[in-house]
Amino acid sequence: MYLTVDFEDRRPLYQQVVDGIKELIARGALKEGVTLPSVRQVAGDLGVNLNTIAAAYRQLQEEGFVAVRHGSGAVVKARRSETLPEEELRKGLRAALTGLVLAGLGEREIVAMVRQELMAVGGKGGSR
Amino acid sequence: MYLTVDFEDRRPLYQQVVDGIKELIARGALKEGVTLPSVRQVAGDLGVNLNTIAAAYRQLQEEGFVAVRHGSGAVVKARRSETLPEEELRKGLRAALTGLVLAGLGEREIVAMVRQELMAVGGKGGSR
Amino acid sequence: MYLTVDFEDRRPLYQQVVDGIKELIARGALKEGVTLPSVRQVAGDLGVNLNTIAAAYRQLQEEGFVAVRHGSGAVVKARRSETLPEEELRKGLRAALTGLVLAGLGEREIVAMVRQELMAVGGKGGSR
Amino acid sequence: MYLTVDFEDRRPLYQQVVDGIKELIARGALKEGVTLPSVRQVAGDLGVNLNTIAAAYRQLQEEGFVAVRHGSGAVVKARRSETLPEEELRKGLRAALTGLVLAGLGEREIVAMVRQELMAVGGKGGSR
DNA sequence: GTGGTCTAGACCACG
DNA sequence: GTGGTCTAGACCACC
C-alpha cells in the first residue's frame, strides 16, 4: 500500500496519513472490505510513532471511511452517502485554483491539469 | 476591500486573511501599486486581534505579494514570476479533487465546477 | 434464544452478548434453571469468535447471573439479592438521560419513553 | 466548574471528561458563549495528563458542543440541531433500565428515579 | 497565554 | 495478534 509522509509538509503527520488513505480509496486502490495494515505495521513502515497512526485510523473511522474493530483491524467501508458539505469542498477547490491563477496559468492549462489529476486520482476507481 | 473571516473555519484566522487577499489579487480587485488598508483598520473591521493581521501581512510579504514599508503601509507588488513550487500547487489541487471524487461527483461535474470557480476567481487577471 | 450482535455498535462484542442475555433474563425470557446454549453454539450462530462468547459467559458468571459447571453448560441462577451498586446504576441512568436532554426532549417525552421501554424490557419479571 | 474523574471507572478518562462537560451543558451550568478552563488548568485540577484533556476537548469540538480556537480557548456553542441518532439513545436508555429491573426495582420506583435524575440533570437548564 | 502535535514507552482490552 | 488509552515531556502554531 503506497503511502508516504513528508516531514516538511505543513499538515500534521496523522492528517497526511488520513489524506493518503482517502486518496487510495478514491482511486480504487483500496476497496470495500479490505483490511488496512495494522497500526504498528504502518508506523514502522513510515518511521513514525504508533500513536500517530492510531490517531489517523481513529479519524478515518469517525469520518466513516473505515470500520475499526478492536481485536481485528480496520476494514474499508462502503462509500458513505454523505461527505463534507459542498461548501467546504468548494472552498478547498477555490483555494487551489487561486494558487494556480496566481502562478499565471490560464483557464485552458488549468482545466488540462484538472483532467490529468482526475485521471490519476479517480479515473479508474469507479468502473474497475 | 471585501474581506471576511469565519470563526468556524478550520484554517487559522491569519491564513484566511492571507487567502482572501490573494484571491482579491488573483481577481484583479487589488492591482499593483495599491496600498492595503492598515493593520489596525483591518483588525478593527474583522474584529480580530492586531497580531493576527500583522501575521497575515508578514506572510504576504514573505511570499512576495506585497511590499511592506515602515510607516507607509503595505503595497501590492507586481505579479511575481514565480510562486509556490508547482509540486505544492498540484498537491493542493489533488487534495481538493480527491474530496470531490469521494463525494461522488463525476469528471464532467467536476470540470464544470472548476470552470465556474475559475470565472469567479480569475475574472480579470487570469490570462496575463 | 433471540440474541444478536451489531458490528457497528461501539460496545465490544462480548459486552453486547452480556447485555443481551441480561435483557433476556430481565424480560423473563430466560428463567432460573434454564441452561444457556453452548459457547460453540452461540459463537456459530452469531458468527463471532469462540473466545468472545466465552468472555461473555465468564462475565455473567462473575456478576452472578449464571452458574457455569464444567462440562454441563451455563445455568441461569436465581435472581441475586444484590446487583451492581446503586451508584453505578444511577450513573448509567444519568448518562442516558443526559443524552436525551441534549437531544432536546422534554420531561414528559422522556418519561413516556421510559415507560415504553419498561414495558418492552420488564414485561414479565419486573415487579418480583 | 465541578468536574471529576474516577480512575476506577471503566470509561476512559477523556470520555469521563467529555460526559461530565456534556452533563454540565445539559444542566445549564455551562451556557453558550462561556469559555472552558484551559486544557492545562483542567489537567492540573484533575491530576491527569494534559493530552488526556486535549483529547476530550477535541471530541467535544467534533461533536459540536464547543468551538475550540487555537490561541483563545474552547467556547460553548449554541445547541446543535442534530445529536445522536435516536436509536443510539434508546439503546443507552434500555441498557440502563435493564440494570434497574434486574436490581428488582418496579416501574413506579424507576419512574420516580428518572424524574429525580431529570430534575438534577436537565430540570432548570431550559427555562433558567 | 492558548490549543495541537509528536515521541517514547507502558499497560489494557478485544478477538 | 489487533487497536485503545495514558503518561511524561518536548516543541510548534496561534492569538
Side-chain angles (χ1 to χ4, degrees):
Chain A
M1 196 182 70
Y2 301 104
L3 196 59
T4 57
V5 289
D6 173 4
F7 286 87
E8 306 300 311
D9 196 304
R10 292 169 48 253
R11 290 172 301 168
L13 295 175
Y14 80 87
Q15 187 66 54
Q16 293 182 46
V17 174
V18 168
D19 290 349
I21 290 178
K22 280 187 190 174
E23 199 179 315
L24 288 168
I25 294 175
R27 282 224 303 268
L30 283 175
K31 291 187 196 304
E32 178 185 353
V34 170
T35 298
L36 296 181
S38 82
V39 167
R40 284 168 177 79
Q41 175 83 45
V42 178
D45 289 356
L46 298 181
V48 303
N49 189 276
L50 191 159
N51 291 330
T52 303
I53 306 301
Y57 277 30
R58 178 171 170 257
Q59 179 165 340
L60 284 166
Q61 176 180 41
E62 281 166 1
E63 294 187 13
F65 288 95
V66 304
V68 179
R69 288 201 280 270
H70 220 101
S72 32
V75 180
V76 177
K77 284 171 71 167
R79 279 287 49 261
R80 310 172 305 147
S81 51
E82 177 209 23
T83 54
L84 277 177
E86 179 166 359
E87 193 194 349
E88 289 295 317
L89 294 169
R90 282 195 108 88
K91 256 188 202 168
L93 179 61
R94 178 171 299 200
L97 294 177
T98 297
L100 294 169
V101 169
L102 285 172
L105 276 66
E107 174 170 343
R108 260 183 234 174
E109 295 162 292
I110 292 176
V111 170
M113 187 184 283
V114 166
R115 285 226 162 82
Q116 187 185 344
E117 286 299 327
L118 278 178
M119 273 180 36
V121 171
K124 294 292 162 66
S127 56
R128 180 185 169 186
Chain B
M1 191 181 72
Y2 300 104
L3 194 59
T4 58
V5 290
D6 174 4
F7 285 89
E8 304 297 310
D9 197 301
R10 293 155 45 256
R11 290 173 299 169
L13 295 176
Y14 87 96
Q15 187 66 56
Q16 293 183 46
V17 174
V18 168
D19 289 350
I21 291 178
K22 280 188 189 174
E23 200 179 316
L24 289 167
I25 295 176
R27 282 223 304 267
L30 284 174
K31 293 189 196 302
E32 178 182 353
V34 170
T35 300
L36 295 181
S38 77
V39 167
R40 272 190 170 65
Q41 175 83 44
V42 178
D45 288 355
L46 299 182
V48 303
N49 192 288
L50 270 178
N51 294 328
T52 304
I53 307 302
Y57 277 28
R58 194 178 339 113
Q59 178 166 338
L60 286 166
Q61 177 180 35
E62 281 165 5
E63 292 188 16
F65 287 97
V66 305
V68 178
R69 281 184 302 239
H70 235 91
S72 54
V75 178
V76 177
K77 287 170 70 168
R79 185 69 55 72
R80 308 171 304 147
S81 55
E82 183 197 21
T83 53
L84 280 176
E86 172 159 341
E87 191 193 351
E88 286 298 319
L89 293 169
R90 285 197 104 89
K91 241 190 215 171
L93 179 61
R94 178 171 298 199
L97 294 176
T98 297
L100 294 169
V101 168
L102 285 173
L105 276 67
E107 175 170 344
R108 259 183 234 174
E109 295 162 292
I110 292 176
V111 170
M113 188 184 284
V114 166
R115 286 224 162 82
Q116 187 185 345
E117 288 298 328
L118 278 177
M119 273 178 36
V121 170
K124 297 250 166 115
S127 55
R128 170 220 182 205
Chain C
M1 193 180 71
Y2 299 106
L3 195 59
T4 57
V5 289
D6 174 4
F7 284 90
E8 304 298 310
D9 197 301
R10 294 156 44 256
R11 290 173 298 170
L13 295 176
Y14 87 95
Q15 186 67 54
Q16 293 183 46
V17 173
V18 168
D19 289 350
I21 291 178
K22 280 189 189 174
E23 200 179 315
L24 289 167
I25 295 176
R27 283 223 304 267
L30 283 175
K31 292 189 197 303
E32 179 183 354
V34 169
T35 299
L36 294 181
S38 78
V39 167
R40 272 190 169 67
Q41 175 83 43
V42 178
D45 289 355
L46 299 181
V48 302
N49 192 289
L50 268 179
N51 295 327
T52 304
I53 306 302
Y57 278 28
R58 194 178 339 113
Q59 177 165 339
L60 286 166
Q61 177 181 34
E62 281 165 5
E63 293 188 15
F65 287 96
V66 304
V68 177
R69 281 183 302 241
H70 236 92
S72 53
V75 178
V76 177
K77 286 170 72 167
R79 185 69 55 73
R80 307 172 305 147
S81 55
E82 185 196 20
T83 53
L84 279 177
E86 173 159 341
E87 192 194 350
E88 287 297 318
L89 293 169
R90 283 196 107 90
K91 242 189 216 170
L93 179 60
R94 178 171 298 200
L97 294 177
T98 296
L100 293 169
V101 168
L102 284 172
L105 276 66
E107 176 171 345
R108 260 182 233 174
E109 295 162 292
I110 293 176
V111 170
M113 188 184 283
V114 166
R115 286 226 160 83
Q116 187 184 344
E117 286 299 326
L118 279 178
M119 273 178 38
V121 170
K124 298 249 166 117
S127 55
R128 169 214 183 208
Chain D
M1 196 184 67
Y2 301 104
L3 196 58
T4 57
V5 290
D6 173 3
F7 286 87
E8 307 300 310
D9 196 304
R10 291 169 51 252
R11 289 173 302 167
L13 294 175
Y14 79 87
Q15 187 65 55
Q16 294 182 46
V17 174
V18 168
D19 290 350
I21 290 178
K22 279 187 191 173
E23 198 179 316
L24 288 167
I25 294 175
R27 281 224 303 267
L30 283 174
K31 292 188 193 303
E32 179 184 353
V34 171
T35 299
L36 295 182
S38 82
V39 167
R40 284 167 176 79
Q41 176 83 44
V42 177
D45 289 355
L46 298 181
V48 303
N49 189 277
L50 191 159
N51 292 330
T52 303
I53 306 302
Y57 277 29
R58 179 173 169 255
Q59 179 165 340
L60 284 166
Q61 176 180 39
E62 281 165 1
E63 295 188 13
F65 288 95
V66 304
V68 179
R69 289 201 278 270
H70 220 102
S72 33
V75 179
V76 177
K77 284 171 69 167
R79 278 287 50 261
R80 310 172 306 146
S81 52
E82 177 210 23
T83 54
L84 278 178
E86 178 165 1
E87 193 194 350
E88 289 294 318
L89 294 169
R90 283 196 106 89
K91 258 187 201 169
L93 179 61
R94 179 172 297 200
L97 294 176
T98 297
L100 294 169
V101 168
L102 285 172
L105 276 67
E107 176 171 342
R108 260 183 232 174
E109 295 161 292
I110 292 177
V111 170
M113 187 184 283
V114 166
R115 286 225 161 82
Q116 186 185 345
E117 287 298 327
L118 277 178
M119 271 178 38
V121 170
K124 293 293 160 68
S127 55
R128 182 187 170 184

